[in-house]
Amino acid sequence: MYKTRIAGVGSYIPEGRLTNHDLEQMVETSDDWIVTRTGISARSIAAPDQYTSDLAFLAAQRALADAGLTAEDLDMILVGTETPDHPFPSVACQLQHRLGCRAISAVDLHVTCVGFLSALETADAFIRSGKCRHILVVGADNLSRITDYTDRTTCILFSDGAGAFVVSQTADPSHPGILHTATHANGEHYFSLYQERGGSIKMDGRKIFKLAVTAMTETTKQTLEATGKTIADIDWLIPHQANQRIIDAVAEHCEVPNEKVISTIKYLGNNSSATIPIAFDLARQDGRIKRGDTLLLTAFGGGLVWGSALLQF
């Protein structure tokens, strides 16, 4: 039986910034109001000529370099995104060409903020089956393109960015790697968070807050139970960066100390499927995450969808 290891990690954060003070000039809001309710001070925003494939391409290049691999080594590309450059073809197909890959499989996953975890779970299955040796897994979104900047309940949250893993096959059972993945869906809550047809993001904030905390708490506990692990075994919790209050509530319910929780939302906002791989990469760059660390990733998104992954880096 093969195992999936994280061979390389990379991310790209657009240079554009949208601060709370900028938003004060656009809608009826204030820096204090936003920070108190979301924990966000600023958001990363792509340039007008930067599309999701551009963000994904830059993150992918960095992940490949980190893995010491080339595009020709890849057997598959999986991209979690809600904001492809075009309704079709896929962002993954654009990456296949721009990176210079062979004629490999290239697929987008349409799973909102759980897109990256869903792609990671899919990649793990292909690696374990022996069908693929190296897979590029990307979370990339340009949510500023579908944000209504006259709606103060949503425009304070969303941002742009991309993060990527290169996952590779190992036959060594003792080698660090992905230990468990799980994703779930419940369409009963479909209209609690959705994009209007051809329009912008709509959200029932209070309902989503409760659903998010419950879903991420449950999947985190279930993953620990499934692997026989406890919070004491976890070095880092990386939750989806939707709202600092949600992050804090999940950590509290799961009894994870604050010093073990990685949060990037203050200066980056919520860039959907990109939040977890970006947070992972930034914490690896600043020395917090090290090889051998055990990490628990968890996310939720519109659908309602939610999931988690446990891995040893």
Side-chain angles (χ1 to χ4, degrees):
M1 176 66 114
Y2 294 109
K3 201 174 174 184
T4 306
R5 66 183 181 90
I6 311 303
V9 182
S11 63
Y12 175 73
I13 299 167
E15 295 180 3
R17 311 294 294 160
L18 182 67
T19 69
N20 291 350
H21 298 299
D22 294 329
L23 287 172
E24 288 175 342
Q25 310 305 312
M26 301 164 65
V27 292
E28 184 182 347
T29 191
S30 70
D31 175 64
D32 181 67
W33 191 89
I34 297 171
V35 171
T36 299
R37 287 160 178 78
T38 70
I40 302 173
S41 295
R43 299 137 203 86
S44 54
I45 301 294
D49 60 349
Q50 277 187 315
Y51 295 91
T52 299
S53 65
D54 299 314
L55 310 184
F57 174 69
L58 293 167
Q61 283 187 312
R62 293 171 181 178
L64 281 167
D66 188 50
L69 298 172
T70 69
E72 292 185 354
D73 295 313
L74 294 175
D75 301 308
M76 178 180 284
I77 297 173
L78 299 170
V79 178
T81 185
E82 292 307 304
T83 54
D85 299 14
H86 311 281
F88 68 89
S90 67
V91 171
C93 201
Q94 290 171 290
L95 284 184
Q96 181 275 333
H97 174 66
R98 292 182 65 177
L99 289 169
C101 302
R102 296 172 287 114
I104 58 175
S105 177
V107 180
D108 281 2
L109 284 82
H110 183 56
V111 201
T112 62
C113 301
V114 185
F116 180 79
L117 287 187
S118 294
L120 189 64
E121 182 174 51
T122 304
D124 184 45
F126 274 95
I127 293 286
R128 287 177 182 272
S129 73
K131 189 170 184 179
C132 296
R133 292 183 63 243
H134 305 289
I135 300 177
L136 174 65
V137 181
V138 182
D141 269 302
N142 241 341
L143 293 186
S144 64
R145 298 292 201 274
I146 58 171
T147 296
D148 179 358
Y149 285 99
T150 68
D151 177 4
R152 73 172 191 158
T153 65
T154 57
C155 73
I156 63 175
L157 298 171
F158 299 116
S159 62
D160 309 326
F165 284 5
V166 173
V167 296
S168 298
Q169 182 189 99
T170 177
D172 182 356
S174 65
H175 198 287
I178 296 176
L179 305 176
H180 181 77
T181 61
T183 55
H184 313 273
N186 182 356
E188 175 188 354
H189 306 293
Y190 190 91
F191 287 105
S192 296
L193 175 57
Y194 68 102
Q195 181 189 359
E196 289 183 308
R197 292 182 178 89
S200 56
I201 301 169
K202 299 297 180 183
M203 182 177 69
D204 181 339
R206 291 184 179 181
K207 187 173 183 180
I208 283 294
F209 183 96
K210 294 176 182 178
L211 290 169
V213 172
T214 299
M216 289 203 292
T217 297
E218 288 182 354
T219 190
T220 295
K221 291 180 176 180
Q222 289 165 359
T223 289
L224 290 172
E225 183 178 352
T227 55
K229 301 288 186 181
T230 69
I231 288 300
D233 300 313
I234 306 303
D235 294 297
W236 299 105
L237 173 69
I238 306 183
H240 171 48
Q241 308 289 304
N243 181 308
Q244 187 61 49
R245 290 169 59 223
I246 293 176
I247 293 170
D248 293 341
V250 171
E252 180 181 356
H253 291 325
C254 295
E255 300 182 340
V256 181
N258 288 335
E259 59 269 22
K260 283 188 173 186
V261 181
I262 293 176
S263 174
T264 60
I265 193 169
K266 183 175 182 179
Y267 298 113
L268 297 183
N270 174 1
N271 38 46
S272 190
S273 61
T275 69
I276 285 177
I278 288 176
F280 192 114
D281 190 39
L282 293 180
R284 194 274 308 262
Q285 289 181 38
D286 67 25
R288 283 179 290 172
I289 293 178
K290 300 177 177 62
R291 282 290 178 182
D293 283 355
T294 300
L295 298 99
L296 209 163
L297 320 178
T298 184
F300 80 96
L304 190 79
V305 291
W306 65 97
S308 56
L310 183 67
L311 61 89
Q312 187 179 12
F313 183 50

